[in-house]
């Protein structure tokens, strides 16, 4: 079984913000692949899905971003999911708008939801799919920036990125991380060991 976690903040106040692109990817995957209705469990919303014949859980933690790890840890442990079968989808203001970056492991890069997940799971060897929402404008507070909405000009580009990110997550399920990285990390060579 695979587990895809889309990060964001619950509530209408945060809908369509930069920080919620992970939620949007999970929602798109659910729309395409769900085999059951969403259920509230483990401080989140879980949807069962089948992607290319693989049973997959789609989780959106409802704990607020900075506490996402509690929901992920409870879900992972209940379903006995191995860390290599877990993918976290999140925003990254250090990446240019709409750029995708899949990685097998590494630090949180300042993404607080990912940071909490890595801390609670006790490892940095968790696959992640980052979606660029930057760059952070000079002199702008990072927290305020990621909690803001996309401009009208940015909306078509980010909508396309969410589509591509959902395809990348599905490719991760079906073909594995290396293949998905080669296809969706445009213009990048995988690093040694990834």
């Amino acid at each position: 079984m695979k587990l895809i976690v889309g990060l964001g903040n619950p509530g209408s106040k945060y809908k369509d913000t930069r920080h919620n692109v992970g939620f949007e990817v999970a929602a798109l995957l659910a729309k395409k692949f769900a085999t059951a209705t969403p259920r509230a469990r483990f401080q989140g919303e879980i949807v069962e899905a089948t992607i290319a014949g693989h049973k997959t859980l789609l989780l959106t933690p409802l704990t607020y971003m900075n506490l996402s790890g509690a929901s992920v840890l409870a879900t992972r442990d209940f379903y006995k999911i191995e860390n290599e079968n877990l993918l976290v989808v999140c925003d990254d203001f250090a990446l240019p708008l709409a750029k995708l970056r899949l990685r097998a492991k590494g630090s949180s890069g300042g993404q607080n939801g990912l940071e909490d997940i890595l801390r609670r799971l006790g490892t940095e060897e968790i696959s992640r799919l980052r979606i660029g929402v930057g760059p952070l404008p000079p002199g702008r507070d990072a927290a305020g920036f990621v909690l803001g909405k996309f401009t009208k000009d940015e909306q078509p580009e980010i909508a396309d990125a969410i589509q591509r990110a959902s395809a990348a997550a599905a490719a991760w399920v079906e073909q594995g991380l290396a293949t998905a990285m080669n296809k969706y990390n445009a213009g990048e060579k995988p690093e040694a060991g990834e």
Side-chain angles (χ1 to χ4, degrees):
M1 183 183 295
K2 307 275 188 180
L3 173 60
I4 298 173
V5 180
L7 297 187
N9 284 313
S12 58
K13 174 182 175 182
Y14 299 104
K15 187 173 171 13
D16 300 324
T17 61
R18 293 173 194 272
H19 230 12
N20 274 31
V21 292
F23 272 16
E24 293 188 49
V25 171
L28 189 55
L29 287 166
K31 189 175 176 183
K32 289 181 182 176
F33 301 110
T35 56
T37 54
R39 297 190 328 263
R41 294 195 74 189
F42 310 115
Q43 300 178 72
E45 186 176 89
I46 291 182
V47 179
E48 292 178 13
T50 301
I51 300 175
H54 298 274
K55 188 169 181 182
T56 305
L57 294 174
L58 307 171
L59 171 67
T60 49
L62 300 178
T63 55
Y64 290 97
M65 181 68 78
N66 297 358
L67 302 173
S68 298
S71 177
V72 176
L73 178 63
T75 304
R76 182 201 69 172
D77 288 355
F78 181 84
Y79 289 99
K80 298 177 174 55
I81 294 168
E82 299 293 328
N83 286 340
E84 61 264 23
N85 291 324
L86 169 60
L87 176 70
V88 177
V89 183
C90 61
D91 64 289
D92 188 339
F93 66 76
L95 284 177
L97 184 72
K99 183 174 176 64
L100 303 184
R101 181 171 291 159
L102 267 163
R103 290 283 183 263
K105 59 187 175 186
S107 74
S108 67
Q111 213 288 350
N112 291 334
L114 182 57
E115 174 70 31
D116 192 57
I117 292 167
L118 300 179
R119 184 178 61 77
R120 289 181 192 252
L121 271 54
T123 180
E124 290 190 346
E125 296 195 10
I126 300 293
S127 296
R128 72 285 312 263
L129 170 55
R130 297 175 186 267
I131 302 166
V133 299
L136 180 67
R140 184 84 191 270
D141 169 60
F145 179 69
V146 297
L147 293 176
K149 297 188 187 287
F150 294 98
T151 67
K152 191 173 182 180
D153 289 345
E154 291 172 328
Q155 287 170 3
E157 208 171 339
I158 204 64
D160 176 67
I162 288 164
Q163 292 281 346
R164 287 185 291 114
S166 71
W172 170 81
V173 170
E174 184 178 5
Q175 302 164 333
L177 182 67
T179 300
M181 284 173 66
N182 285 335
K183 187 169 182 181
Y184 291 96
N185 287 356
E188 291 186 24
K189 300 272 188 239
E191 294 173 13
E194 291 195 77

